[in-house]
Amino acid sequence: MSFDHERYRSLHRSGYLGRRVQYVEETTSTMDDARAGAALEGDASPGTAYVGGRQTAGRGRQGRQWVSEPGVGLYVTYHLVPRSAAPTLPLFAAAGALAVGDAVRELTDIETAIKWPNDVLHGGRKLSGILAEARHGMRVDVFLGIGLNLRPAALPPEVRDIATSLEAAAGFAPSTEEMLAALSASLEHWSEVLESSPAEFVQRWRARLVTLGRRVRFALPDGSVEEGTARDVTATGDLVVESDRGVESQVAAGDVTIIG
Ligand code: BTN
């Protein structure tokens, strides 16, 4: 694995996102690289795409592992600095999911859907996952990690049957450079929509969610677990669920399992 910076520069067309790429062949996690870059590089870091050829401790949501072998996936974390403190972290992750969908469509003609909150699916299988982390200091730094399966990989049994890749779905996989350039442009677009018109953003995200209308199991603040139906999403990205008892609640990602 390596990264052709010259080729990437010829493909890159967004304004500030991804103008700078920090590529390393091997890292623990690009989330760590982005946090370290933000601390070390000051004003040079926002907008940078931190890319790893392979991650030895790639992480997913809720403490899960993200298997990150060389040559089979794109592993990138973007350092974003929101203009206002208003958009919530789940919505930045949603911007990542919308961006992946657009970039994938542009390069492969494949259509994707989003499983709430931000898994990108093709044919019901996971193609990409998004992890958003924030650091609150003098300003808010958002680290938006995107893992995108380019080619089939040796995966652990628990995810083998629920994952897919661009090569499996489209018959070919774009190069890392092409994918990153398309992703940087689409993420810049969706971050801009999120910051300038959050209500419109949520509407567009809602339209791509396959979860609404589906059965869910969820935990309530008092610790009780109920089942019901996913009905909507809120302006901050929570899921609105209606329990089988007919009671409506808003739940965050860690508290919901989509059944089936
Ligand atoms: C998930 O679906 O659980 C989120 C997966 C996020 C994986 C990406 S790969 C690039 C970045 N670095 C990490 O360690 N995780 C994210």
Side-chain angles (χ1 to χ4, degrees), residues 28-32 55 57-62 64-66 68 74-77 118-119 126 128-131 144-148:
T28 50
S29 161
T30 56
M31 303 305 281
D32 301 335
Q55 300 183 113
R59 49 187 190 259
R61 289 193 303 112
Q62 294 163 21
R64 288 191 286 258
Q65 177 198 17
W66 187 263
S68 311
L74 171 64
Y75 316 114
V76 55
T77 299
N118 48 49
D119 283 351
K126 185 157 167 173
S128 171
I130 321 282
L131 177 69
L144 190 67
I146 299 176
L148 173 58

mmCIF file of all heavy atoms in Angstrom, residues 28-32 55 57-62 64-66 68 74-77 118-119 126 128-131 144-148, ligand 1:
data_model
loop_
_atom_site.group_PDB
_atom_site.id
_atom_site.type_symbol
_atom_site.label_atom_id
_atom_site.label_comp_id
_atom_site.label_asym_id
_atom_site.label_seq_id
_atom_site.Cartn_x
_atom_site.Cartn_y
_atom_site.Cartn_z
ATOM 1 N N THR A 28 -1.987 3.023 14.568
ATOM 2 C CA THR A 28 -2.944 2.365 15.482
ATOM 3 C C THR A 28 -4.336 2.655 14.952
ATOM 4 O O THR A 28 -5.107 1.749 14.640
ATOM 5 C CB THR A 28 -2.797 2.909 16.909
ATOM 6 O OG1 THR A 28 -2.826 4.347 16.852
ATOM 7 C CG2 THR A 28 -1.516 2.438 17.554
ATOM 8 N N SER A 29 -4.653 3.945 14.838
ATOM 9 C CA SER A 29 -5.959 4.371 14.340
ATOM 10 C C SER A 29 -5.786 5.779 13.773
ATOM 11 O O SER A 29 -5.087 6.610 14.375
ATOM 12 C CB SER A 29 -6.963 4.383 15.490
ATOM 13 O OG SER A 29 -8.078 5.184 15.166
ATOM 14 N N THR A 30 -6.446 6.048 12.675
ATOM 15 C CA THR A 30 -6.363 7.412 12.128
ATOM 16 C C THR A 30 -7.050 8.413 13.061
ATOM 17 O O THR A 30 -6.808 9.617 12.962
ATOM 18 C CB THR A 30 -6.993 7.485 10.715
ATOM 19 O OG1 THR A 30 -8.350 7.010 10.792
ATOM 20 C CG2 THR A 30 -6.212 6.650 9.718
ATOM 21 N N MET A 31 -7.898 7.908 13.992
ATOM 22 C CA MET A 31 -8.497 8.808 14.989
ATOM 23 C C MET A 31 -7.379 9.360 15.880
ATOM 24 O O MET A 31 -7.381 10.545 16.227
ATOM 25 C CB MET A 31 -9.533 8.080 15.861
ATOM 26 C CG MET A 31 -10.674 7.403 15.121
ATOM 27 S SD MET A 31 -11.622 8.465 14.023
ATOM 28 C CE MET A 31 -12.701 9.324 15.146
ATOM 29 N N ASP A 32 -6.423 8.477 16.242
ATOM 30 C CA ASP A 32 -5.291 8.924 17.071
ATOM 31 C C ASP A 32 -4.428 9.913 16.289
ATOM 32 O O ASP A 32 -3.961 10.914 16.835
ATOM 33 C CB ASP A 32 -4.410 7.726 17.478
ATOM 34 C CG ASP A 32 -5.185 6.681 18.267
ATOM 35 O OD1 ASP A 32 -6.189 7.052 18.902
ATOM 36 O OD2 ASP A 32 -4.787 5.497 18.239
ATOM 37 N N GLN A 55 -4.601 -0.133 9.868
ATOM 38 C CA GLN A 55 -4.732 0.266 11.269
ATOM 39 C C GLN A 55 -4.572 -0.977 12.136
ATOM 40 O O GLN A 55 -5.209 -2.008 11.884
ATOM 41 C CB GLN A 55 -6.096 0.881 11.542
ATOM 42 C CG GLN A 55 -6.404 2.127 10.720
ATOM 43 C CD GLN A 55 -7.746 2.747 11.082
ATOM 44 O OE1 GLN A 55 -7.802 3.844 11.613
ATOM 45 N NE2 GLN A 55 -8.823 2.038 10.813
ATOM 46 N N ALA A 57 -5.207 -0.893 15.430
ATOM 47 C CA ALA A 57 -6.238 -0.829 16.481
ATOM 48 C C ALA A 57 -7.381 0.059 15.991
ATOM 49 O O ALA A 57 -7.805 0.986 16.688
ATOM 50 C CB ALA A 57 -5.638 -0.288 17.777
ATOM 51 N N GLY A 58 -7.860 -0.252 14.774
ATOM 52 C CA GLY A 58 -8.976 0.512 14.206
ATOM 53 C C GLY A 58 -10.192 0.346 15.103
ATOM 54 O O GLY A 58 -10.472 -0.756 15.571
ATOM 55 N N ARG A 59 -10.896 1.452 15.347
ATOM 56 C CA ARG A 59 -12.036 1.311 16.250
ATOM 57 C C ARG A 59 -13.352 1.700 15.591
ATOM 58 O O ARG A 59 -13.399 2.583 14.734
ATOM 59 C CB ARG A 59 -11.819 2.101 17.534
ATOM 60 C CG ARG A 59 -11.362 3.532 17.400
ATOM 61 C CD ARG A 59 -11.032 4.057 18.808
ATOM 62 N NE ARG A 59 -10.816 5.489 18.821
ATOM 63 C CZ ARG A 59 -9.609 6.052 18.853
ATOM 64 N NH1 ARG A 59 -8.527 5.286 18.843
ATOM 65 N NH2 ARG A 59 -9.498 7.361 18.900
ATOM 66 N N GLY A 60 -14.399 1.018 16.032
ATOM 67 C CA GLY A 60 -15.743 1.309 15.543
ATOM 68 C C GLY A 60 -16.558 1.930 16.654
ATOM 69 O O GLY A 60 -16.029 2.266 17.719
ATOM 70 N N ARG A 61 -17.845 2.070 16.413
ATOM 71 C CA ARG A 61 -18.712 2.650 17.433
ATOM 72 C C ARG A 61 -18.873 1.676 18.595
ATOM 73 O O ARG A 61 -18.746 0.475 18.432
ATOM 74 C CB ARG A 61 -20.088 2.962 16.830
ATOM 75 C CG ARG A 61 -20.047 4.136 15.856
ATOM 76 C CD ARG A 61 -21.434 4.646 15.515
ATOM 77 N NE ARG A 61 -22.296 3.621 14.965
ATOM 78 C CZ ARG A 61 -23.358 3.134 15.592
ATOM 79 N NH1 ARG A 61 -23.692 3.553 16.787
ATOM 80 N NH2 ARG A 61 -24.087 2.199 15.020
ATOM 81 N N GLN A 62 -19.171 2.240 19.738
ATOM 82 C CA GLN A 62 -19.459 1.458 20.942
ATOM 83 C C GLN A 62 -18.368 0.452 21.292
ATOM 84 O O GLN A 62 -18.646 -0.698 21.628
ATOM 85 C CB GLN A 62 -20.811 0.765 20.796
ATOM 86 C CG GLN A 62 -21.943 1.782 20.756
ATOM 87 C CD GLN A 62 -23.235 1.241 20.227
ATOM 88 O OE1 GLN A 62 -23.448 0.034 20.231
ATOM 89 N NE2 GLN A 62 -24.083 2.120 19.758
ATOM 90 N N ARG A 64 -16.350 -1.154 19.534
ATOM 91 C CA ARG A 64 -16.081 -2.309 18.669
ATOM 92 C C ARG A 64 -14.782 -2.093 17.893
ATOM 93 O O ARG A 64 -14.290 -0.986 17.764
ATOM 94 C CB ARG A 64 -17.250 -2.532 17.711
ATOM 95 C CG ARG A 64 -18.486 -3.091 18.413
ATOM 96 C CD ARG A 64 -19.514 -3.540 17.399
ATOM 97 N NE ARG A 64 -20.174 -2.406 16.796
ATOM 98 C CZ ARG A 64 -21.404 -1.991 17.127
ATOM 99 N NH1 ARG A 64 -22.097 -2.642 18.042
ATOM 100 N NH2 ARG A 64 -21.937 -0.951 16.537
ATOM 101 N N GLN A 65 -14.274 -3.208 17.360
ATOM 102 C CA GLN A 65 -13.046 -3.152 16.576
ATOM 103 C C GLN A 65 -13.424 -2.904 15.107
ATOM 104 O O GLN A 65 -14.492 -3.341 14.669
ATOM 105 C CB GLN A 65 -12.366 -4.522 16.739
ATOM 106 C CG GLN A 65 -11.117 -4.713 15.953
ATOM 107 C CD GLN A 65 -10.763 -6.204 15.820
ATOM 108 O OE1 GLN A 65 -11.594 -7.098 16.033
ATOM 109 N NE2 GLN A 65 -9.534 -6.472 15.439
ATOM 110 N N TRP A 66 -12.549 -2.198 14.360
ATOM 111 C CA TRP A 66 -12.757 -2.062 12.913
ATOM 112 C C TRP A 66 -11.542 -2.700 12.252
ATOM 113 O O TRP A 66 -10.443 -2.145 12.279
ATOM 114 C CB TRP A 66 -12.897 -0.598 12.515
ATOM 115 C CG TRP A 66 -13.271 -0.425 11.062
ATOM 116 C CD1 TRP A 66 -12.419 -0.171 10.031
ATOM 117 C CD2 TRP A 66 -14.583 -0.479 10.495
ATOM 118 N NE1 TRP A 66 -13.123 -0.077 8.852
ATOM 119 C CE2 TRP A 66 -14.456 -0.263 9.108
ATOM 120 C CE3 TRP A 66 -15.866 -0.711 11.017
ATOM 121 C CZ2 TRP A 66 -15.557 -0.260 8.250
ATOM 122 C CZ3 TRP A 66 -16.950 -0.700 10.154
ATOM 123 C CH2 TRP A 66 -16.792 -0.476 8.787
ATOM 124 N N SER A 68 -8.820 -3.560 9.840
ATOM 125 C CA SER A 68 -8.276 -2.595 8.864
ATOM 126 C C SER A 68 -6.995 -3.113 8.231
ATOM 127 O O SER A 68 -5.895 -2.628 8.502
ATOM 128 C CB SER A 68 -7.982 -1.267 9.573
ATOM 129 O OG SER A 68 -9.058 -0.833 10.357
ATOM 130 N N LEU A 74 -10.539 1.884 2.737
ATOM 131 C CA LEU A 74 -10.098 3.268 2.957
ATOM 132 C C LEU A 74 -10.312 3.559 4.433
ATOM 133 O O LEU A 74 -11.419 3.341 4.959
ATOM 134 C CB LEU A 74 -10.942 4.218 2.102
ATOM 135 C CG LEU A 74 -10.743 5.721 2.372
ATOM 136 C CD1 LEU A 74 -9.323 6.156 2.030
ATOM 137 C CD2 LEU A 74 -11.747 6.547 1.559
ATOM 138 N N TYR A 75 -9.284 4.024 5.094
ATOM 139 C CA TYR A 75 -9.359 4.358 6.517
ATOM 140 C C TYR A 75 -8.931 5.811 6.651
ATOM 141 O O TYR A 75 -7.753 6.136 6.459
ATOM 142 C CB TYR A 75 -8.433 3.451 7.342
ATOM 143 C CG TYR A 75 -8.504 1.998 6.925
ATOM 144 C CD1 TYR A 75 -7.399 1.362 6.343
ATOM 145 C CD2 TYR A 75 -9.675 1.271 7.056
ATOM 146 C CE1 TYR A 75 -7.463 0.043 5.923
ATOM 147 C CE2 TYR A 75 -9.763 -0.047 6.634
ATOM 148 C CZ TYR A 75 -8.650 -0.650 6.056
ATOM 149 O OH TYR A 75 -8.724 -1.948 5.627
ATOM 150 N N VAL A 76 -9.884 6.674 6.935
ATOM 151 C CA VAL A 76 -9.570 8.110 6.961
ATOM 152 C C VAL A 76 -10.287 8.782 8.120
ATOM 153 O O VAL A 76 -11.416 8.436 8.452
ATOM 154 C CB VAL A 76 -9.969 8.787 5.619
ATOM 155 C CG1 VAL A 76 -11.422 8.557 5.251
ATOM 156 C CG2 VAL A 76 -9.692 10.292 5.650
ATOM 157 N N THR A 77 -9.614 9.747 8.725
ATOM 158 C CA THR A 77 -10.268 10.633 9.696
ATOM 159 C C THR A 77 -10.051 12.067 9.240
ATOM 160 O O THR A 77 -8.912 12.495 9.012
ATOM 161 C CB THR A 77 -9.685 10.445 11.109
ATOM 162 O OG1 THR A 77 -9.916 9.093 11.521
ATOM 163 C CG2 THR A 77 -10.369 11.394 12.111
ATOM 164 N N ASN A 118 -25.685 5.756 11.246
ATOM 165 C CA ASN A 118 -24.838 6.140 10.107
ATOM 166 C C ASN A 118 -24.080 4.975 9.467
ATOM 167 O O ASN A 118 -22.991 5.180 8.966
ATOM 168 C CB ASN A 118 -23.863 7.249 10.530
ATOM 169 C CG ASN A 118 -23.170 6.899 11.818
ATOM 170 O OD1 ASN A 118 -22.647 5.796 11.944
ATOM 171 N ND2 ASN A 118 -23.172 7.780 12.787
ATOM 172 N N ASP A 119 -24.674 3.780 9.477
ATOM 173 C CA ASP A 119 -24.054 2.687 8.724
ATOM 174 C C ASP A 119 -24.475 2.816 7.266
ATOM 175 O O ASP A 119 -25.674 2.946 6.977
ATOM 176 C CB ASP A 119 -24.556 1.327 9.230
ATOM 177 C CG ASP A 119 -23.901 0.931 10.541
ATOM 178 O OD1 ASP A 119 -22.946 1.602 10.968
ATOM 179 O OD2 ASP A 119 -24.363 -0.064 11.130
ATOM 180 N N LYS A 126 -23.254 -4.085 5.178
ATOM 181 C CA LYS A 126 -22.529 -2.863 5.529
ATOM 182 C C LYS A 126 -21.319 -2.636 4.618
ATOM 183 O O LYS A 126 -20.451 -3.494 4.477
ATOM 184 C CB LYS A 126 -22.084 -2.955 6.994
ATOM 185 C CG LYS A 126 -21.422 -1.695 7.510
ATOM 186 C CD LYS A 126 -21.526 -1.634 9.018
ATOM 187 C CE LYS A 126 -20.626 -0.589 9.618
ATOM 188 N NZ LYS A 126 -20.857 -0.416 11.063
ATOM 189 N N SER A 128 -19.809 0.672 4.764
ATOM 190 C CA SER A 128 -18.997 1.718 5.390
ATOM 191 C C SER A 128 -19.547 2.052 6.767
ATOM 192 O O SER A 128 -20.754 1.969 6.997
ATOM 193 C CB SER A 128 -19.036 2.965 4.476
ATOM 194 O OG SER A 128 -18.441 4.074 5.107
ATOM 195 N N GLY A 129 -18.635 2.408 7.669
ATOM 196 C CA GLY A 129 -19.039 2.818 9.014
ATOM 197 C C GLY A 129 -18.374 4.139 9.362
ATOM 198 O O GLY A 129 -17.297 4.467 8.858
ATOM 199 N N ILE A 130 -19.037 4.891 10.222
ATOM 200 C CA ILE A 130 -18.573 6.245 10.558
ATOM 201 C C ILE A 130 -18.439 6.358 12.072
ATOM 202 O O ILE A 130 -19.322 5.903 12.807
ATOM 203 C CB ILE A 130 -19.611 7.320 10.120
ATOM 204 C CG1 ILE A 130 -20.254 6.985 8.775
ATOM 205 C CG2 ILE A 130 -19.001 8.712 10.161
ATOM 206 C CD1 ILE A 130 -19.461 7.255 7.559
ATOM 207 N N LEU A 131 -17.366 6.980 12.498
ATOM 208 C CA LEU A 131 -17.139 7.203 13.932
ATOM 209 C C LEU A 131 -16.808 8.675 14.123
ATOM 210 O O LEU A 131 -15.837 9.174 13.566
ATOM 211 C CB LEU A 131 -15.969 6.335 14.400
ATOM 212 C CG LEU A 131 -15.541 6.482 15.851
ATOM 213 C CD1 LEU A 131 -16.624 5.929 16.774
ATOM 214 C CD2 LEU A 131 -14.220 5.735 16.089
ATOM 215 N N LEU A 144 -13.813 13.017 12.314
ATOM 216 C CA LEU A 144 -14.810 12.196 11.635
ATOM 217 C C LEU A 144 -14.106 11.044 10.922
ATOM 218 O O LEU A 144 -13.459 11.245 9.891
ATOM 219 C CB LEU A 144 -15.580 13.072 10.634
ATOM 220 C CG LEU A 144 -16.809 12.407 10.040
ATOM 221 C CD1 LEU A 144 -17.867 12.203 11.113
ATOM 222 C CD2 LEU A 144 -17.377 13.252 8.923
ATOM 223 N N GLY A 145 -14.231 9.872 11.506
ATOM 224 C CA GLY A 145 -13.548 8.695 10.966
ATOM 225 C C GLY A 145 -14.463 7.916 10.036
ATOM 226 O O GLY A 145 -15.624 7.651 10.366
ATOM 227 N N ILE A 146 -13.937 7.559 8.877
ATOM 228 C CA ILE A 146 -14.724 6.806 7.889
ATOM 229 C C ILE A 146 -13.940 5.567 7.479
ATOM 230 O O ILE A 146 -12.774 5.661 7.075
ATOM 231 C CB ILE A 146 -15.026 7.684 6.643
ATOM 232 C CG1 ILE A 146 -15.841 8.917 7.070
ATOM 233 C CG2 ILE A 146 -15.763 6.869 5.575
ATOM 234 C CD1 ILE A 146 -16.108 9.909 5.947
ATOM 235 N N GLY A 147 -14.584 4.433 7.602
ATOM 236 C CA GLY A 147 -14.004 3.179 7.112
ATOM 237 C C GLY A 147 -14.873 2.704 5.959
ATOM 238 O O GLY A 147 -16.091 2.571 6.119
ATOM 239 N N LEU A 148 -14.270 2.484 4.805
ATOM 240 C CA LEU A 148 -15.050 2.099 3.620
ATOM 241 C C LEU A 148 -14.415 0.849 3.022
ATOM 242 O O LEU A 148 -13.219 0.846 2.698
ATOM 243 C CB LEU A 148 -15.033 3.278 2.626
ATOM 244 C CG LEU A 148 -15.637 3.091 1.244
ATOM 245 C CD1 LEU A 148 -17.097 2.685 1.312
ATOM 246 C CD2 LEU A 148 -15.511 4.390 0.450
HETATM 247 C C1 BTN B 1 -18.543 1.746 12.936
HETATM 248 O O1 BTN B 1 -19.320 1.445 12.030
HETATM 249 O O2 BTN B 1 -18.542 1.132 14.014
HETATM 250 C C2 BTN B 1 -17.582 2.894 12.725
HETATM 251 C C3 BTN B 1 -16.319 2.444 12.039
HETATM 252 C C4 BTN B 1 -15.338 3.571 11.796
HETATM 253 C C5 BTN B 1 -14.027 3.076 11.232
HETATM 254 C C6 BTN B 1 -13.118 4.200 10.827
HETATM 255 S S1 BTN B 1 -11.720 3.654 9.897
HETATM 256 C C7 BTN B 1 -11.010 5.234 10.019
HETATM 257 C C8 BTN B 1 -11.255 5.697 11.429
HETATM 258 N N1 BTN B 1 -10.222 5.162 12.315
HETATM 259 C C9 BTN B 1 -10.731 4.319 13.214
HETATM 260 O O3 BTN B 1 -10.069 3.733 14.097
HETATM 261 N N2 BTN B 1 -12.044 4.213 13.059
HETATM 262 C C10 BTN B 1 -12.529 5.026 11.951
#
